[in-house]
Amino acid sequence: MVSPRPHFPFKTRHWFRRICLLLAVGTVFSHTRAFANPIEIPETLDDVLAFYCYDCHDDSISKGGLDLTSTPFDLGDKQHFSDWIHVFDRIKKGEMPPHDEEQPTTQEREDFLAELNAILLEADQKQVAEKGRVHGRRLTRIEYEHTLQDLLGIKIPLSNLLPADESGKDFETIADAQRLSHFHLSQYLEAADQALEEAMNRANRGEQQFYRKFNAKQLTAESRSVGQNYRGPQAINGRIYSWARAISFNGNMAATRVPASGWYRITVKNVQGVNPGPDGAVWATLKIGSGRSNEPIQFVADIIEAIDEPKDFVCDAWMQAGHLVEIQPAEGTNKLVRIDPEARKKDLHFYHGRNLEQEGYAAIAFDSLTLQRVYPAGTRNKIRNRLLPGIQFSGGKPVLQNPDREIKRLITRFAYQAFRRPVSSSQLTPYLELALARYDETNDLFEALREGYRAILCSPRFLTFVEPPGQLDDYAIASRLSYLFWSSLPDQTLMKKAAEGKLRNQQVLLNQANRLLAHPKSERFFVNFTDQWLQLNQIGFTSPDPRRFRQFDPVLQESMVRETRAFVRELFDKDLSVRNFVQSDFNFLNTRLKTHYQMDDATVKAGYGLQKIPSGENARSGLITQGSILKITADGSVTSPVIRGVWIGERILGRHIPPPPANVPAIEPDIRGAISIRDQLEKHRADKSCAACHLKIDPPGFALESYDPVGRWREFYGKANRSAKIDPSGITLDGQQFEDIREWKAHFAKQQEILARAFAGNLLAYSTGADVRFSDRPVIEDILKTTKKDDYGVLSLLQAVITSDSFLKK
């Protein structure tokens, strides 16, 4: 128990404490000498810190690694500025001083926070005015790929040629986390070369044609010609049957190897499910790969839901030269075909002398498969209009009356599009000189343009966003808007509005945002933003233990991702409240998800993919209890309330969780389930240096313990009565008790302002390329005031963000 301190007037208490400190250390204490930097903390602030904070945060104790007596009040230094923001936030939230220590009066706290807030705000606003919010942002590799594709009129994968982007805290767009080295530049150059090669070849020579239709005889092998290692499908009465088997490369169809890399439309005729499961469907994957053991990586191009009723299945997929198509049933619960022991002795194939359908095995049956080369971004004429607009052709050759003039016109136009703003004569000269010199050497317009365009695509004006500090001009606003929604450069309409100087008009800006969001390219926003905000791009980083989670499969994983993306899109389309992050009255399910979630009462029709259904406010409603989130926040074998609690805190509730101290050992969950992880966490919570963070982390982490690593509901960590029982109860940071995830959700569904503040910050960071700064906080609060009347709808929040002062500044 802490003994009460004597109560004196504030100034008296301050000097009384100082005298005690002097006697304790035996030396003269001066706050001006305590700081390494001569910048002094204002005396009014120092008074409060000296009485309530220095006891625990001086150079001898430094709880939490924070020594306030040696932390300069140098707000021009990024780390020191961050330290004082940390002090401000801990005091504002009532986390400091600790509850078992003497507390400042309400007036003392308010005066301290008001003064420190004004000082921090002024300092940050000064830095933003001098340097801007965003420091040297470049295109991410996804943005680079989409920009090249849209600029050249092609669609080939390029991002895999580029180094992975650093994601900073959350988003790949954050400038402070980005790097641009010689290695990066060489990779960008290689990607530009491949893109230009594709575009120029098609503009010059046209498209390659390919069309083949394969029947049962071509896609399968006769029993007499294959041994037990045969991995392809079976032909039965002129139809193709791909059976569920426990073998790699099962369902390979060697005849489908393609002669050249490109996009192919794969059409599978009259697809049916053989021996469908209780959900009425046989689920399968359509994969693309080499089909060889020395190149085992395969890519899931799509998933197939086959039912009794025959249906055609169509998908477009990128295939490398020599790759083939594989179709195989892929449900983890399938009964798998194995080779009969007698057949094995004779080296016979797996279906020799058997009727697998009568034996109850699942299969995908179909009549034929067609491969056709397609060009999703457009034909040769579209590419010519992008690269050589206004050029006439005769006999396949460009006709030039004045080559120098035409080359200058084309280079100028291309630079304007690539740089996303008008280009001066001095900026244009080096690219023009390269192109003209190349034309003089070759007398070939394509070679001349390739040279000039290549140089433009390697320019910092293309690779980075050129934005001086202060208010963005209309061209910079156009780029910020288009890269938010399309991850690519502005189109002609947006550039026209920029040229007219209309994008600073709020209504014009909103109209353009709505137009971009309604375009099919906005799918990039829903993929890229959700991938980074919710970390969906990490769903494949871990693989569930196949012995413990046999029912988990690639179909289920892909369904989980689609469920979350469809859910987020619905929130934007209908401008639904942020409360849906934690509690909603609808779900998106297909039959595979329905089975996995054990939602037997849900009305989901087989063969119709994802369907929006009413959910009530059950334990599965809302974003955070979807399978994708629960898998991402587990490691494949066990769950951790710490990992899930940190994820919820930082991405949904907007609570920064610092990393644990270096001397704190990691918590290793008991995979047998004999010991509850809650019991193991008690020793962390008992440590004062850990308790403050665990008060934020543990409550949502404990609530989510009712879900296993693949998102299924559970009551025990292992088998019932043989392992520890799940205890999902807890107390929220604001003191609200809850018994399970339902009550935790119900509590935070009423805390919409918390959810909205966090989400607005995420949108602002992603769209501008800079984390939310201290000077952005008033902007965020204005956004909340604006959107409260709309129940904090996610679209309303997005619209408020793009019309905010922070969005419209560098």
Side-chain angles (χ1 to χ4, degrees):
M1 180 175 177
V2 178
S3 300
R5 300 186 185 189
H7 289 276
F8 304 114
F10 182 75
K11 284 289 185 180
T12 306
R13 283 185 278 151
H14 171 60
W15 287 110
F16 176 79
R17 182 181 180 281
R18 284 204 169 195
I19 291 170
C20 293
L21 285 172
L22 294 177
L23 294 173
V25 301
T27 186
V28 177
F29 179 87
S30 170
H31 73 265
T32 59
R33 293 175 56 196
F35 293 99
N37 191 297
I39 299 174
E40 296 184 16
I41 186 170
E43 183 177 353
T44 49
L45 298 181
D46 191 41
D47 285 345
V48 176
L49 296 172
F51 194 83
Y52 295 107
C53 303
Y54 289 159
D55 270 352
C56 297
H57 298 288
D58 60 10
D59 56 359
S60 62
I61 300 179
S62 299
K63 281 191 176 180
L66 179 62
D67 173 14
L68 290 177
T69 63
S70 300
T71 301
F73 201 68
D74 179 6
L75 302 184
D77 180 273
K78 184 177 180 180
Q79 182 56 54
H80 297 153
F81 187 76
S82 177
D83 289 340
W84 288 107
I85 291 177
H86 179 64
V87 171
F88 176 88
D89 287 341
R90 296 296 297 277
I91 294 175
K92 183 177 181 180
K93 293 174 182 177
E95 298 171 3
M96 285 294 163
H99 295 300
D100 57 357
E101 297 286 347
E102 184 171 355
Q103 300 294 311
T105 67
T106 301
Q107 191 62 50
E108 287 172 356
R109 190 186 299 271
E110 289 178 355
D111 291 346
F112 177 90
L113 291 172
E115 183 176 2
L116 184 54
N117 178 73
I119 294 171
L120 294 175
L121 190 60
E122 181 182 7
D124 199 39
Q125 288 172 339
K126 182 180 178 182
Q127 287 220 4
V128 169
E130 292 175 355
K131 300 178 181 179
R133 291 184 67 258
V134 190
H135 302 153
R137 179 163 117 69
R138 64 163 170 80
L139 299 177
T140 68
R141 61 177 183 168
I142 293 297
E143 291 172 337
Y144 187 82
E145 176 182 76
H146 287 313
T147 301
L148 278 183
Q149 290 174 346
D150 292 346
L151 185 61
L152 303 177
I154 60 172
K155 188 177 180 182
I156 62 173
L158 297 167
S159 61
N160 59 322
L161 301 175
L162 304 176
D165 289 302
E166 298 288 340
S167 61
K169 294 180 184 176
D170 303 306
F171 300 111
E172 295 171 359
T173 57
I174 301 299
D176 286 350
Q178 292 182 332
R179 302 290 181 268
L180 189 57
S181 64
H182 290 296
F183 175 69
H184 282 87
L185 290 174
S186 67
Q187 298 299 102
Y188 279 117
L189 186 60
E190 180 182 345
D193 284 340
Q194 287 203 19
L196 280 170
E197 182 75 15
E198 168 76 8
M200 291 294 181
N201 283 344
R202 284 186 53 203
N204 194 7
R205 303 185 182 95
E207 292 85 21
Q208 296 182 20
Q209 302 299 319
F210 181 88
Y211 178 88
R212 284 200 65 184
K213 183 176 181 179
F214 304 94
N215 58 30
K217 185 175 182 179
Q218 293 166 319
L219 294 178
T220 62
E222 295 293 335
S223 61
R224 61 178 178 274
S225 65
V226 296
Q228 61 175 290
N229 199 38
Y230 175 62
R231 296 163 190 260
Q234 178 186 13
I236 302 176
N237 298 325
R239 300 197 82 208
I240 304 107
Y241 287 70
S242 181
W243 299 99
R245 298 186 64 199
I247 189 171
S248 58
F249 308 121
N250 179 44
N252 276 2
M253 292 172 281
T256 61
R257 294 190 189 277
V258 296
S261 298
W263 284 93
Y264 291 83
R265 179 156 296 148
I266 303 167
T267 304
V268 189
K269 297 292 290 183
N270 290 325
V271 178
Q272 278 183 291
V274 177
N275 289 324
D279 64 354
V282 175
W283 286 92
T285 54
L286 188 151
K287 294 183 179 179
I288 305 297
S290 71
R292 298 187 176 98
S293 59
N294 62 351
E295 191 182 337
I297 296 177
Q298 293 177 296
F299 307 93
V300 177
D302 212 336
I303 56 176
I304 300 173
E305 182 183 14
I307 58 176
D308 285 336
E309 179 187 353
K311 289 186 177 182
D312 292 348
F313 174 84
V314 181
C315 80
D316 290 349
W318 175 265
M319 298 182 67
Q320 294 183 37
H323 280 196
L324 51 72
V325 178
E326 171 193 294
I327 296 176
Q328 64 166 310
E331 290 185 70
T333 53
N334 281 334
K335 176 183 175 183
L336 301 177
V337 181
R338 303 185 186 278
I339 298 175
D340 181 89
E342 292 301 315
R344 185 183 296 277
K345 292 177 184 178
K346 300 176 184 178
D347 194 31
L348 297 173
H349 53 82
F350 70 96
Y351 55 78
H352 177 75
R354 302 170 67 180
N355 187 322
L356 298 177
E357 183 172 2
Q358 286 186 2
E359 291 181 39
Y361 292 103
I364 296 290
F366 54 97
D367 289 345
S368 64
L369 185 146
T370 300
L371 283 175
Q372 181 180 6
R373 185 75 183 269
V374 294
Y375 296 88
T379 62
R380 175 168 66 168
N381 287 336
K382 185 174 181 179
I383 294 180
R384 284 182 172 178
N385 288 335
R386 295 286 181 89
L387 302 183
L388 305 97
I391 299 296
Q392 300 298 315
F393 285 81
S394 178
K397 300 292 183 181
V399 177
L400 301 177
Q401 300 297 329
N402 187 327
D404 286 9
R405 183 179 64 194
E406 294 294 349
I407 289 174
K408 181 179 181 180
R409 178 180 66 83
L410 294 173
I411 292 292
T412 302
R413 182 181 182 276
F414 189 82
Y416 169 73
Q417 292 179 319
F419 296 163
R420 307 174 284 276
R421 61 175 54 249
V423 186
S424 67
S425 296
S426 60
Q427 293 168 350
L428 191 66
T429 297
Y431 311 115
L432 184 57
E433 288 178 348
L434 283 171
L436 291 173
R438 187 62 175 163
Y439 186 80
D440 290 341
E441 292 174 8
T442 63
N443 199 38
D444 186 322
L445 178 62
F446 286 100
E447 285 299 312
L449 293 178
R450 186 198 303 266
E451 192 77 8
Y453 290 173
R454 182 177 187 264
I456 289 170
L457 295 179
C458 296
S459 166
R461 296 181 181 278
F462 175 69
L463 295 173
T464 65
F465 295 91
V466 181
E467 302 165 346
Q471 296 291 330
L472 298 178
D473 65 21
D474 283 72
Y475 289 103
I477 294 173
S479 288
R480 187 162 284 187
L481 208 58
S482 66
Y483 278 93
L484 167 60
F485 292 116
W486 290 358
S487 298
S488 185
L489 41 71
D491 63 359
Q492 286 185 342
T493 302
L494 202 51
M495 290 293 278
K496 184 174 183 292
K497 296 295 181 184
E500 295 169 350
K502 293 182 177 181
L503 290 179
R504 299 204 65 81
N505 179 289
Q506 181 172 326
Q507 192 55 54
V508 173
L509 185 63
L510 286 175
N511 289 343
Q512 288 302 304
N514 292 334
R515 180 180 67 85
L516 298 179
L517 198 55
H519 194 280
K521 286 182 184 178
S522 67
E523 183 63 24
R524 299 170 183 174
F525 165 70
F526 294 107
V527 171
N528 297 334
F529 177 66
T530 53
D531 271 7
Q532 295 173 48
W533 168 42
L534 302 174
Q535 295 184 308
L536 294 186
N537 50 9
Q538 296 183 21
I539 196 166
F541 281 16
T542 60
S543 298
D545 185 338
R547 292 169 298 180
R548 298 182 59 217
F549 305 107
R550 182 175 176 269
Q551 77 288 347
F552 192 83
D553 54 64
V555 169
L556 182 57
Q557 179 166 294
E558 179 63 21
S559 296
M560 287 176 172
V561 172
R562 294 184 183 188
E563 171 194 15
T564 299
R565 287 181 180 156
F567 186 88
V568 172
R569 177 128 207 175
E570 181 76 1
L571 298 185
F572 277 99
D573 286 347
K574 303 289 177 59
D575 195 21
L576 299 179
S577 171
V578 290
R579 79 162 64 90
N580 288 277
F581 296 163
V582 295
Q583 189 179 74
S584 65
D585 59 4
F586 67 94
N587 289 108
F588 280 92
L589 297 179
N590 59 24
T591 58
R592 186 71 189 88
L593 288 169
K594 173 185 173 180
T595 300
H596 181 70
Y597 293 155
Q598 298 177 312
M599 296 176 66
D600 298 334
D601 295 335
T603 304
V604 182
K605 190 173 181 181
Y608 288 84
L610 280 177
Q611 300 151 59
K612 182 181 177 182
I613 64 163
S615 67
E617 295 178 352
N618 59 36
R620 189 62 69 174
S621 74
L623 177 69
I624 63 169
T625 46
Q626 292 176 4
S628 61
I629 306 303
L630 297 166
K631 181 183 184 299
I632 288 163
T633 54
D635 70 358
S637 297
V638 294
T639 60
S640 166
V642 175
I643 295 174
R644 284 179 171 170
V646 168
W647 193 96
I648 293 293
E650 294 195 330
R651 296 176 187 278
I652 304 299
L653 303 180
R655 294 171 177 166
H656 171 63
I657 312 293
N663 61 346
V664 176
I667 300 170
E668 298 294 339
D670 180 4
I671 61 173
R672 301 166 300 171
I675 302 174
S676 167
I677 195 169
R678 179 186 284 266
D679 295 333
Q680 298 179 65
L681 278 169
E682 282 303 319
K683 59 183 178 182
H684 284 267
R685 294 168 64 88
D687 187 324
K688 282 189 176 182
S689 63
C690 299
C693 286
H694 278 279
L695 287 174
K696 301 176 186 177
I697 295 170
D698 293 350
F702 287 150
L704 289 173
E705 280 294 274
S706 292
Y707 302 93
D708 72 9
V710 295
R712 292 180 310 178
W713 183 265
R714 64 183 178 183
E715 302 286 347
F716 294 85
Y717 282 101
K719 293 183 178 179
N721 303 320
R722 293 176 57 186
S723 62
K725 193 176 189 313
I726 302 293
D727 180 2
S729 65
I731 302 175
T732 65
L733 191 59
D734 58 358
Q736 180 70 39
Q737 290 189 341
F738 60 89
E739 292 301 316
D740 55 21
I741 185 62
R742 294 176 179 86
E743 291 189 6
W744 186 92
K745 285 182 174 188
H747 174 69
F748 278 96
K750 300 173 185 176
Q751 308 291 315
Q752 293 154 272
E753 188 173 309
I754 293 175
L755 306 175
R757 182 178 291 107
F759 189 62
N762 284 320
L763 288 172
L764 185 62
Y766 176 79
S767 62
T768 63
D771 286 319
V772 174
R773 301 176 63 111
F774 194 84
S775 57
D776 292 322
R777 293 185 179 187
V779 174
I780 296 290
E781 296 309 307
D782 286 342
I783 288 171
L784 297 184
K785 291 176 184 176
T786 301
T787 55
K788 183 177 182 179
K789 66 181 187 302
D790 299 311
D791 202 20
Y792 301 112
V794 296
L795 180 60
S796 295
L797 285 164
L798 177 60
Q799 291 171 337
V801 164
I802 64 177
T803 55
S804 70
D805 193 51
S806 294
F807 183 87
L808 299 173
K809 280 185 179 177
K810 170 177 166 59

